Amino acid sequence: MAIPRFSSLLRFRKLAKSDWLVASIGFVLTVFFLSFFFDPTSDSTTLSVDRSLPISDLVKLKLSSKAKGRRAFCLDGSLPGYHFHEGSGSGSKSWLVHLEGGGWCNTIASCSARAMTKLGSSNYFEQEVAFQGVLSSDPSQNPEFFNWNKVAIRYCDGASFAGHPEAEFKNETRLFFRGQLIWEAIIDELLSMGMSDAKRAILTGCSAGGLATLIHCDYFRDHLPKDAAVKCVSDAGFFLNVPDVLGKPTMSSFYHDVVNLQGIGKSLDQKCVAKMEPSMCMFPHEFLKYIETPVFLVNPAYDLWQIQNVLVPISADPDKRWAKCRLNIKDCDAAQMKVLQGFRSSLMDAIGEFHQNKDGGMFIDSCYAHCQTVMTVTWHSPTSTRIENKTIAESVGDWYFNRNPVKLIDCPYPERRFLKLLNAVES
Ligand SMILES: *[C@@H]1O[C@H](CO)[C@@H](O)[C@H](O)[C@H]1NC(C)=O
Ligand SMILES: *[C@@H]1O[C@H](CO)[C@@H](O)[C@H](O)[C@H]1NC(C)=O
């Protein structure tokens, strides 16, 4: 009997120490996220300018030279663009193309409003943006891909680079729904800049750009040399078709409107579209199985954007019971935590089949986050989330370079660190 008691004492002391650590990391992250979400000029899905970074990390905007000829325009009719950082050394024939995110617009009114922002018009694009995380050229921040050619394509169509021109000019409004043409024009341009000789390539993107990564993954593969190693990494792009907390189909009716307004059906997976209503094929769960190119999913189990917009949109919380929990998982009560665990279970069910995909990879952590690949603090840093002691950067690298199969799923919040400690004590 003495041994278990000693063991539980040890457990208590270790937990106490770890609580302190967890609390301090939690504090840092809370401050970090608060500063993030309350800054109206930047959010986690769009590229930003951080003046505190070294000048070398700021990359200039280039408006597309092929867009005009292909009639590929942002919502307001301005030219789309991208930021390009040339690769060097062993990375000179390797290309990483990132698709910026930033939600979608589903009505004439919301698209018109968007056309007057940087998510709908290049007139408002920053002239330079910070290349961080998977876009960083610093080997200590981006050990696997630092010297690759890196491109960040700006998001200005409001439909995950997939809108089709036939749907234009409804209600005499001059809006251009040409996301698909933007995608094709800029890929063509990159091919003529040397990407047609690529030996290695990754298509990636976050949020609406993470969804676009999945939508366009096979197109990307098909336009690169046959012998190139081409793979796709979707960050926070696995949007779930779940009802909100009031039981209303908020997300599926939103996608229904986006798909119909912008005519996205033709850009979606045709095997999927043949089987169901096109807007259902915006949900990765429905078309992931048809993607032939290897795919890696980076997705938090409690994706912050999905909690705030899919599960608990403002419309589903009229009496503001969720106001605190929506912002910080530590402020959720037991009943709310149960709802969040249900959301996590829905994600687990939705990726169940993908688990059997031998070329696929995943990193499903338990952070309350959104877009973890484009910020160094979450991609690869001493404080970034780890599963099996690997950062997201190391996990994606292991998978891309075929060093190990990578199917990492963290335990549900908040048990993870306790389980780990218990195992350490027990063994
Ligand atoms: C076009 O205008 C009519 C009448 O104002 C409105 O009912 C309809 O929803 C509008 N269509 C779109 C796509 O906004
Ligand atoms: C985890 O990884 C870090 C850096 O990669 C290493 O220094 C540390 O020893 C590892 N910890 C464990 C428990 O393996």
Side-chain angles (χ1 to χ4, degrees), residues 119-130:
L119 286 169
S121 167
S122 57
N123 295 329
Y124 304 96
F125 286 176
E126 295 88 352
Q127 291 306 301
E128 45 189 23
V129 295

Side-chain angles (χ1 to χ4, degrees), residues 172-380:
E172 329 243 303
T173 315
R174 269 187 71 81
L175 279 174
F176 296 81
F177 296 140
R178 301 192 178 188
Q180 179 69 30
L181 295 183
I182 295 174
W183 159 255
E184 290 174 12
I186 294 184
I187 289 301
D188 194 27
E189 188 161 335
L190 298 176
L191 288 167
S192 71
M193 285 160 57
M195 196 167 75
S196 58
D197 289 328
K199 293 264 182 274
R200 284 163 293 274
I202 292 179
L203 176 66
T204 182
C206 185
S207 195
L211 177 62
T213 297
L214 297 175
I215 292 173
H216 294 306
C217 181
D218 283 341
Y219 179 104
F220 185 68
R221 159 65 286 176
D222 292 346
H223 286 75
L224 283 161
K226 284 216 160 29
D227 60 350
V230 183
K231 302 190 179 187
C232 302
V233 178
S234 171
D235 180 8
F238 206 93
F239 295 92
L240 289 179
N241 183 11
V242 293
D244 67 27
V245 287
L246 291 185
K248 298 213 171 91
T250 300
M251 193 59 179
S252 62
S253 60
F254 180 77
Y255 270 175
H256 177 268
D257 294 347
V258 176
V259 168
N260 286 313
L261 178 68
Q262 297 225 28
I264 303 177
K266 279 192 183 152
S267 304
L268 297 175
D269 191 285
Q270 292 306 298
K271 284 192 187 125
C272 180
V273 169
K275 291 210 167 94
M276 58 189 84
E277 216 242 304
S279 66
M280 286 293 118
C281 301
M282 286 282 272
F283 291 108
H285 169 54
E286 303 292 357
F287 69 94
L288 193 58
K289 53 181 166 284
Y290 302 124
I291 302 176
E292 289 169 13
T293 312
V295 166
F296 192 102
L297 301 175
V298 176
N299 220 92
Y302 312 93
D303 182 289
L304 191 55
W305 191 93
Q306 293 202 57
I307 301 298
Q308 294 179 347
N309 296 278
V310 178
L311 190 63
V312 199
I314 294 283
S315 63
D317 187 31
D319 49 6
K320 301 208 165 36
R321 283 194 312 116
W322 283 81
K324 283 187 175 162
C325 173
R326 288 172 87 249
L327 293 178
N328 192 333
I329 199 165
K330 289 195 301 182
D331 292 331
C332 303
D333 63 27
Q336 290 168 335
M337 227 28 248
K338 206 170 160 198
V339 174
L340 295 190
Q341 301 300 17
F343 182 82
R344 179 181 184 277
S345 300
S346 304
L347 177 67
M348 293 302 133
D349 291 348
I351 59 173
E353 197 179 337
F354 182 64
H355 218 91
Q356 315 304 322
N357 181 320
K358 67 176 171 37
D359 297 323
M362 60 172 96
F363 187 102
I364 311 293
D365 58 285
S366 287
C367 297
Y368 215 29
H370 186 62
C371 290
Q372 303 175 100
T373 59
V374 282
M375 290 181 298
T376 298
V377 66
T378 43
W379 171 246
H380 186 70

Side-chain angles (χ1 to χ4, degrees), residues 108 170-171 261:
I108 293 288
K170 280 189 182 155
N171 285 11
L261 178 68

Side-chain angles (χ1 to χ4, degrees), residues 30-47:
T30 306
V31 171
F32 172 71
F33 281 123
L34 287 181
S35 58
F36 222 63
F37 287 108
F38 292 120
D39 176 359
T41 60
S42 96
D43 68 58
S44 58
T45 56
T46 59
L47 296 158

Side-chain angles (χ1 to χ4, degrees), residues 380 386 388-390 394:
H380 186 70
R386 287 166 182 260
E388 294 182 4
N389 203 29
K390 291 246 166 74
E394 291 163 341

